[in-house]
Amino acid sequence: MAIRVEDNDIFLAVRDLVHVPPDQPFISSFPLPQRGLLGQKAHKHVQQSKQQHFGLFHKEVAVNQTYPFQEFTFHLQGRIDGVYQLPDRLEIEEIKSVILRPAEFKRLKIERYPHFSEQLLFYGYLLQDQFQGIEIQTYLILINLINNQQRKFPIAYRRQAVERLLLQRFAEIRQRILEERAELARRRALIEKIQFVLPEERPQQQEMMQAVEQALKEGSHLMASAPTGTGKTAAALFPAIRFAYLNNKKVFFTTSKTTQQRIAVETVLPLIAQGLPLKTMVITASQKMCLNDVYFCHEAFCPYIKQYKERLLSSNLLPELLQNDFLDSALISSQAAVHQLCPFEVSMDLLPHVDLLIGDYNYVFDPAAQLRRLFLNKDFSDWILIIDEAHNLYERGMAYLSPQVERLRLIEMANFTSQQKAKVYRELHAALQMFKSMLDQLQEEGEIHHENRQHFLTQLDLTNWDEAFHQFEATFIRYLIYKIRTKKLIIDDPLENLYYQLRRFVRVAHFEDRAFVTYFDAYDQGVLHILCCDPAHYLGQTIDRFHSVIAMSATLDPMEFYRTILGFSAERTRFLQLDSPFPLENRRLIIVPGISTRYKDRLKNAPKIAEIITRVTAIQPGNYLVFFPSFDFLQTVNIFLNRLNSEKIIQKPGMKATERDEVLNRLRHEKQPHLLLAVMGGIFSEGVDFTGDMAIGVIVVSPALPQVSFERELLRHYYQETYQMGEEYAYIYPGMNKVIQAVGRLIRTATDKGIVLLIGDRFADERFNLLLPEYWFRKKDDVIITMDYEREVRKFWQMLNVS
């Protein structure tokens, strides 16, 4: 447990008193979950063997004691691995596991692990008090996980010496708490001198800041639908930083795209420039920070992690870096390279010292990537979470909980292991055959009972899957030990990758919830899927552990829909719907009905759509953005765009951020008019500002409804049964969200002016246009539905030219 302080009461576990030496082995080649699992199994094995001693041995003995120390009271708790209760004494055994070569294990001195002895002796002190001063004897049992060999070490228990050490640790903790309280007082005085100045006064931004402040005071959540130009990043960050500074909390600003991270950084830097010591760090993925040509985290391969902990301590790198209030990957990597230390591990060691973290959703919500150093405990109440562009979290949440297993991959790994000589590979092969057999049966079922169908629903026999996974996991652990013993280096080990894939699959398979549907895709050798239709429960569990969560987006409409699918509790969540801060007369929104953009009609109507784009862009020369629901539709219409007065720029699939930035620079600096053809939901439709003359018009061709597919139909069926809104939740709401995001690229400042054209008969359908934001409809003519679009476009530009 983390140390908890309530007034002058301090609650902590025995292990919180222990000092772990910095020179403990850093074994990156042994994945942490398996290291912990091995230790647990070793503990259980030893405890079970001890329990045969006629009831004298008691395992997992709880100890709880309270000790006054100066003005504080320490509440200590712990759990001892084993205690022999003899008539005249208690013998304590603490079991610890290590990974050492057999010869090294035979020679080791227990002084190598002083933290093991400290924990044991503190347990003895508490237990002696609990049993009114009975004689205590203490023993450490070390298990070598390489070969399960054991050694037992008697540890001399001298109460006075242990008491001196205990009081010394109390004094250290007391001093740290007093220093933290003094620092908090200093911060409170300092924050009053900082001016949280906004570039311009916007009533909507002020309204959002007040709502955020109120949510933080109450410890509630806020969902804010904040139109483009509100300044929502500053409106969320400024009050969150101020509240955190005054209440000893920290802020995590999460995004789905790096462009949004840059906006957060630009918002914070002026505060730091004023002298606010706000330790801010942007988290970057380990692969992107790696200093090697080949990404492979292994001590034997990478000089940057070899003896990492010892060299980090002697380098003084952390204090050097913490002299800076802003820390990004460039700074951390350059400084870490000087000391030949792993930049990513350095960034992880900086986490406890940071006030504001900026990073991807994954670090909070993805079970495989979550920052366990921060979120190891279930209580995140020391943190304020800001979710930017929160509408994107739903799809991410589904992906986190929708694993799959490829039959072809199992076949390849089974063939590979069958060709290896070592015994561990034979064991791996046997375990993989169990998985392969289950997928072979599904493939056969598809060929016999579901002929000419690519997908079919299925039910998993969890007993068989558990048995197969437990066998594979036990063998996989032996495989990891084998690699250590033989010094075997395998870059991007496919067996290790498969283990994590299977582990995630089996874990999700145990979620007993209608929201999870299992199906088999019989094409390409067969793939077994679990589809999470609704991640709300999982996301909500994470969200409710924070002090407050601020979820914001320009497209959180309908808000009740997003509250439901993101898992925000109705009791703890406030809604905020803001108006646009910009004059509506600067924009004209025209819906062009009468043209079907349905998939079956796209080729037939592509020439008409191209004609509309050509005519509209000819009325007022300038840069226009045209957004499509797919690359195929874009290319179909592009064939007929051959009479333009503008130069075409076409978004390509997989376009990189650097290529996007080149396009933005062209729109910003070149005088020649451009027509940018892009897709909704892509790198040009979200998180990008087209200010001034970068864009004077946005044309959206069709609602961006998700393509009909087997998975999308499963979603529709689930939401129809659950909320009687299958088509809305599965297709219409996600599709219109992307439309609103695309339109939001146009008006980014109070002086921006332009037109918006929505092409397609479905935009005139109430099921679709009722989802357009309320702030688009202040008066009757704010949105016009007409086939005479040219007349309306000319009227708008003439009005602006006259004014």
Side-chain angles (χ1 to χ4, degrees), residues 492-541:
D492 199 23
D493 188 342
L495 280 169
E496 199 166 313
N497 294 336
L498 179 60
Y499 168 79
Y500 282 113
Q501 184 182 26
L502 290 170
R503 186 178 70 155
R504 178 178 281 206
F505 188 91
V506 172
R507 282 185 175 182
V508 174
H510 278 273
F511 291 173
E512 296 180 0
D513 192 313
R514 297 180 43 252
F516 293 86
V517 181
T518 306
Y519 72 91
F520 190 73
D521 181 342
Y523 285 15
D524 295 327
Q525 298 288 333
V527 181
L528 181 61
H529 295 259
I530 298 177
L531 173 66
C532 173
C533 298
D534 184 359
H537 179 70
Y538 167 75
L539 295 175
Q541 282 185 324

Side-chain angles (χ1 to χ4, degrees), residues 321-391:
L321 283 169
L322 289 170
Q323 291 177 11
N324 303 277
D325 286 318
F326 177 67
L327 301 159
D328 63 1
S329 61
L331 175 63
I332 296 169
S333 294
S334 63
Q335 295 286 85
V338 172
H339 298 279
Q340 240 190 357
L341 290 166
C342 171
F344 181 75
E345 285 298 324
V346 170
S347 70
M348 294 299 98
D349 283 315
L350 286 167
L351 287 175
H353 308 283
V354 171
D355 301 305
L356 169 64
L357 277 174
I358 300 172
D360 193 89
Y361 296 161
N362 296 347
Y363 296 114
V364 177
F365 293 103
D366 185 354
Q370 189 182 60
L371 294 176
R372 288 176 176 81
R373 298 198 197 189
L374 293 184
F375 304 126
L376 186 62
N377 300 301
K378 293 185 178 180
D379 178 13
F380 309 159
S381 59
D382 287 342
W383 286 86
I384 297 162
L385 179 66
I386 300 173
I387 308 174
D388 195 19
E389 302 297 352
H391 63 277

Side-chain angles (χ1 to χ4, degrees), residues 193-310:
K193 300 176 184 178
I194 301 299
Q195 296 183 2
F196 289 80
V197 180
L198 300 169
E200 57 183 289
E201 288 294 326
R202 299 178 188 174
Q204 292 82 0
Q205 192 176 43
Q206 293 292 339
E207 184 181 351
M208 181 171 169
M209 290 179 77
Q210 291 169 7
V212 171
E213 288 173 2
Q214 187 63 32
L216 294 172
K217 288 177 183 175
E218 296 172 349
S220 58
H221 306 315
L222 177 70
M223 295 182 67
S225 183
T228 300
T230 302
K232 60 182 179 293
T233 303
L237 271 173
F238 281 7
I241 290 169
R242 184 179 178 85
F243 183 89
Y245 224 78
L246 293 173
N247 292 276
N248 203 27
K249 297 191 182 298
K250 300 187 177 190
V251 180
F252 201 142
F253 188 95
T254 58
T255 71
S256 59
K257 293 183 171 69
T258 54
T259 51
Q260 295 147 6
Q261 294 178 21
R262 288 202 293 267
I263 295 169
V265 169
E266 290 165 4
T267 303
V268 170
L269 287 180
L271 301 179
I272 296 174
Q274 288 186 61
L276 183 66
L278 183 76
K279 300 296 180 191
T280 302
M281 185 168 74
V282 180
I283 307 174
T284 304
S286 56
Q287 277 186 274
K288 291 183 178 178
M289 295 186 79
C290 183
L291 297 171
N292 292 311
D293 294 332
V294 177
Y295 175 73
F296 183 37
C297 286
H298 194 293
E299 284 182 306
F301 174 83
C302 176
Y304 298 98
I305 58 173
K306 190 172 184 180
Q307 296 178 315
Y308 169 82
K309 292 184 179 180
E310 294 175 77

